[in-house]
Amino acid sequence: MATYVTLLNWTDQGVRNYKDTAERAEAFAAAAQKLGAKLLSIYWTVGPYDLVAVVEAPDDETATATLLQLGGVGNVRTTTLRAFDQEEMDRIIAKAG
């Protein structure tokens, strides 16, 4: 499974409904699972991003569908980064020569 680090910012709607944020995170985890992805962790942060999520998905298409569905609810906007663990990076380096 591929790993994705997602940086999230609340929209105006999302911040107005901040009291529901923990429940929304649980709903996102359930929705991700139905699409074949998995929410590994989520953190509420201080700084330029309001939340950081780590998601696993079998492919880019599944990750994109999962995050589009999340964004479509209207509470957050996302910036997503494909992340590589050490084993994956070792394979990438081996291919590069």
Side-chain angles (χ1 to χ4, degrees):
M1 294 264 264
T3 303
Y4 302 85
V5 175
T6 302
L7 309 171
L8 301 103
N9 279 315
W10 281 332
T11 61
D12 288 342
Q13 172 183 308
V15 78
R16 275 194 308 272
N17 298 312
Y18 71 90
K19 291 180 181 180
D20 299 331
T21 188
E23 291 82 14
R24 291 195 312 252
E26 290 175 10
F28 171 57
Q33 192 164 11
K34 287 180 184 177
L35 291 171
K38 182 177 181 183
L39 176 62
L40 297 179
S41 56
I42 190 164
Y43 302 95
W44 287 260
T45 57
V46 175
Y49 296 97
D50 298 311
L51 301 98
V52 176
V54 181
V55 176
E56 270 188 347
D59 51 51
D60 290 345
E61 291 84 3
T62 302
T64 302
T66 300
L67 294 165
L68 279 172
Q69 190 176 71
L70 172 65
V73 175
N75 293 306
V76 294
R77 297 210 189 292
T78 64
T79 300
T80 302
L81 307 141
R82 171 64 167 94
F84 301 93
D85 64 20
Q86 185 173 345
E87 183 179 309
E88 291 168 314
M89 197 63 209
D90 287 342
R91 288 195 306 268
I92 291 167
I93 291 168
K95 285 183 180 183

